[in-house]
Amino acid sequence: VTKHLLILAVWLLCIGRASASIVSTTGDVAQVPAPPSVDNDVYESDTHISLFVERQSLRLSSAVTVDISQPGTVTDSPDFSRTDLAAGTWVDSYYLHFDPVGSPAPSFVSLTGFVTFDQPILGIIITNTYLNACDAILGAPGTIYPTGGPVSPGLDLNQDVLTLTADRHSLWISLSARRGIDALRVVTAAVPEPATASLLIIAAAFLPRRPR
Ligand SMILES: [Ca+2]
Ligand SMILES: [Ca+2]
């Protein structure tokens, strides 16, 4: 019986472990492993907007500013719904990156796509300033990010369009780029690790006690 309980405990731990999840991508969005570098003209494609998981089940150690926190369509800065995600919030983070081939590409390249996440989107960061500000906190460990300078990451206002759906689970993007990079970071809610800790306690309660 003890052996079976142990197996049950291990199984509970496995399902209890929070994991970031992209439910689906359509159009030109393609999920990839986190690249070594998404710096300017390093990770290029004319056919795909690359999407990768950065951090999973991270508890924010400090507040993070997001440019978009409300559903709707964003084409220009008045559409921003900027807010701070409070320290202590549990999050998953994802990065969308589009860098057309060439510097600059021979002509503008336009791509569109749709992505759905398992957890609700808490915020989206699309400006160079706030992307740079959270690279160290939310970026994938080991990935080199652009730091601005003459070519900035982030989206171009009045050129790129983004819609956060009313249920907060999906994002539609239409990006156009020639010189430089279009990049955005998506921050979703995460299942906190304490859920795993609770399961450990429950599992421990079932273990036989040592005789006194
Ligand atoms: Ca390029
Ligand atoms: Ca653009």
Side-chain angles (χ1 to χ4, degrees):
V1 176
T2 306
K3 191 180 165 192
H4 287 138
L5 282 172
L6 275 172
I7 291 166
L8 175 70
V10 170
W11 179 73
L12 281 172
L13 274 176
C14 290
I15 60 159
R17 195 166 294 274
S19 61
S21 177
I22 294 158
V23 175
S24 66
T25 62
T26 58
D28 302 320
V29 176
Q31 189 177 350
V32 298
S37 172
V38 286
D39 206 354
N40 194 38
D41 297 322
V42 175
Y43 192 74
E44 298 178 304
S45 172
D46 284 341
T47 54
H48 288 105
I49 299 166
S50 302
L51 166 66
F52 59 92
V53 177
E54 296 183 298
R55 301 271 183 164
Q56 302 184 55
S57 297
L58 176 76
R59 187 174 183 270
L60 293 179
S61 55
S62 57
V64 167
T65 304
V66 298
D67 298 304
I68 299 161
S69 63
Q70 298 302 320
T73 296
V74 174
T75 57
D76 203 354
S77 53
D79 302 325
F80 288 176
S81 43
R82 199 168 271 159
T83 191
D84 284 351
L85 302 181
T89 307
W90 288 87
V91 301
D92 294 334
S93 60
Y94 304 86
Y95 200 78
L96 286 136
H97 167 89
F98 170 39
D99 183 348
V101 178
S103 183
S107 60
F108 269 90
V109 181
S110 298
L111 300 176
T112 62
F114 195 80
V115 55
T116 300
F117 301 92
D118 63 337
Q119 297 291 320
I121 294 168
L122 302 177
I124 304 164
I125 304 144
I126 68 168
T127 56
N128 183 35
T129 303
Y130 290 114
L131 277 170
N132 287 340
C134 64
D135 281 344
I137 302 168
L138 295 176
T143 296
I144 295 165
Y145 289 87
T147 52
V151 177
S152 305
L155 300 191
D156 309 291
L157 302 174
N158 290 314
Q159 181 194 85
D160 304 312
V161 184
L162 173 160
T163 299
L164 173 58
T165 57
D167 68 2
R168 292 180 170 272
H169 281 271
S170 301
L171 190 65
W172 179 85
I173 48 175
S174 174
L175 307 180
S176 189
R178 186 178 181 196
R179 183 187 295 276
I181 307 162
D182 281 346
L184 58 147
R185 175 169 285 129
V186 179
V187 184
T188 71
V191 179
E193 289 290 355
T196 307
S198 322
L199 286 169
L200 244 186
I201 292 163
I202 293 165
F206 282 101
L207 291 177
R209 292 187 188 167
R210 198 177 291 177
R212 296 182 186 210

